[in-house]
């Protein structure tokens, strides 16, 4: 294997939720690996603005709410118009919410499913069309260990169900498109230091349980997740499709 197989030179990636956390780390790494990136999120952050300034020729940001009906077509068209292709889709945007199952309202359920499952489904559906026309591509969906286990001590059945759906979508899409040159994989992160987890990390009664149940004894960093996504998106994973790669410090080993 050559290290060049991890390069993304000449490829265009569309990355959702790219203004912070795992999404921003993926964007940074992809740009370092030579990709052209269409980045999208609901809002800007200083870190995102710095990244755009440093990569003014190869990175472009478009504000979008991925749950709106027109977002998938708009984002895919923007990638094609700006860079001439769409080779990689990273469905990273997501939200979390927790409560007792019997207290979870329809409105909160809809918000979780719209962001974590419906939006990635629709965006992948739109992205597949130009990928088929050009003869191939790669899709990486960001799932979670929550798609495999019941987390503790927080109760979050809606979030867990949305991530399990992402894992199954990944498996089924991979089967459908493998012979047509499109690889589809997912990443299932464990507990990662990010804006999504900062509330839980600040609670000793939660974070102590998370740490105690992680054999490596620490939480992951966004950059570690980005490394995994780069592998799945690159030619280094040319024979990998339909897998959900777990990166959780050993959390799901017991």
């Amino acid at each position: 294997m050559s290290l060049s197989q991890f390069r993304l030179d000449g490829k265009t990636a569309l990355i959702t939720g790219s203004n912070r956390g795992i999404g921003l780390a993926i964007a940074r790494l992809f740009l370092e690996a030579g990709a052209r990136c269409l980045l999208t999120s609901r809002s800007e952050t200083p870190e995102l603005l710095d990244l755009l300034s440093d990569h003014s020729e190869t990175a472009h940001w478009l504000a979008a709410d991925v749950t709106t009906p027109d977002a998938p077509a708009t984002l895919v068209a923007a990638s094609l118009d700006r860079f001439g292709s769409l080779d990689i889709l990273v469905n990273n945007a997501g939200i979390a919410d927790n409560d007792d199952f019997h207290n979870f309202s329809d409105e909160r359920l809809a918000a979780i499913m719209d962001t974590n499952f419906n939006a990635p489904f629709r965006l992948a559906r739109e992205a597949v069309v130009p990928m088929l026309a050009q003869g191939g591509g790669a899709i990486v969906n960001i799932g979670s260990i929550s798609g495999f286990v019941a987390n503790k001590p927080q109760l979050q059945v809606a979030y867990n169900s949305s991530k399990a759906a992402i894992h199954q979508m990944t498996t089924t899409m991979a089967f459908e498109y493998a012979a047509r040159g499109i690889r589809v994989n997912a990443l299932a992160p464990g507990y990662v230091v990010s804006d999504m987890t900062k509330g839980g990390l600040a609670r000793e009664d939660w974070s102590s349980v998370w740490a105690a149940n992680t054999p490596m004894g620490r939480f992951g960093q966004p950059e570690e997740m980005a490394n995994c996504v780069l592998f799945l998106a690159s030619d280094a994973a040319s024979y990998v499709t339909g897998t959900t790669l777990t990166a959780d410090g050993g959390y799901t080993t017991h």
Side-chain angles (χ1 to χ4, degrees):
M1 175 183 289
S2 169
L3 289 177
S4 64
Q5 293 184 76
F6 291 91
R7 297 286 305 174
L8 300 177
D9 300 292
K11 295 184 178 181
T12 300
L14 168 56
I15 306 168
T16 68
S18 53
N19 59 339
R20 57 173 60 91
I22 294 174
L24 183 63
I26 294 169
R28 284 184 178 133
L29 187 59
F30 275 30
L31 288 164
E32 290 176 16
R36 300 165 299 193
C37 293
L38 181 70
L39 310 177
T40 185
S41 55
R42 293 181 181 179
S43 61
E44 297 171 306
T45 61
E47 295 82 5
L48 173 64
L49 292 175
D50 287 343
L51 185 68
L52 293 170
S53 176
D54 291 340
H55 299 274
S56 58
E57 297 298 317
T58 53
H60 180 66
W61 177 75
L62 187 63
D65 178 347
V66 293
T67 66
T68 58
D70 61 342
T74 298
L75 292 169
V76 169
S79 176
L80 297 173
D81 291 344
R82 182 82 179 192
F83 298 118
S85 67
L86 177 55
D87 307 287
I88 301 164
L89 168 65
V90 181
N91 270 319
N92 169 73
I95 60 173
D97 195 2
N98 57 276
D99 204 345
D100 289 314
F101 178 77
H102 59 275
N103 288 332
F104 217 84
S105 68
D106 285 349
E107 290 77 15
R108 292 168 74 183
L109 175 62
I112 285 284
M113 296 306 295
D114 281 349
T115 304
N116 293 0
F117 179 69
N118 295 341
F121 185 104
R122 293 170 180 146
L123 193 48
R125 182 177 61 190
E126 192 75 27
V128 159
V129 176
M131 289 181 181
L132 286 172
Q134 68 194 22
I139 296 173
V140 182
N141 300 311
I142 306 301
S144 171
I145 59 168
S146 300
F148 300 126
V149 301
N151 299 80
K152 60 181 182 180
Q154 77 278 20
L155 304 173
Q156 50 184 47
V157 65
Y159 178 81
N160 293 33
S161 299
S162 71
K163 292 303 185 178
I166 283 292
H167 297 170
Q168 182 59 24
M169 182 183 84
T170 298
T171 300
T172 307
M173 283 187 67
F175 173 79
E176 182 171 349
Y177 291 104
R180 289 181 270 184
I182 301 174
R183 296 185 302 104
V184 187
N185 293 290
L187 174 68
Y191 289 102
V192 176
V193 178
S194 69
D195 282 359
M196 182 177 287
T197 59
K198 67 180 180 182
L201 291 173
R203 294 185 53 166
E204 175 64 21
D205 59 329
W206 284 20
S207 61
S208 61
V209 176
W210 297 352
N213 282 276
T214 302
M216 289 184 71
R218 67 174 179 86
F219 304 119
Q221 295 297 322
E223 292 76 16
E224 293 176 299
M225 302 305 109
N227 292 340
C228 297
V229 175
L230 175 61
F231 165 68
L232 293 173
S234 73
D235 289 342
S238 58
Y239 198 56
V240 180
T241 197
T243 192
T244 296
L245 174 61
T246 300
D248 67 351
Y251 188 99
T252 53
T253 59
H254 63 98

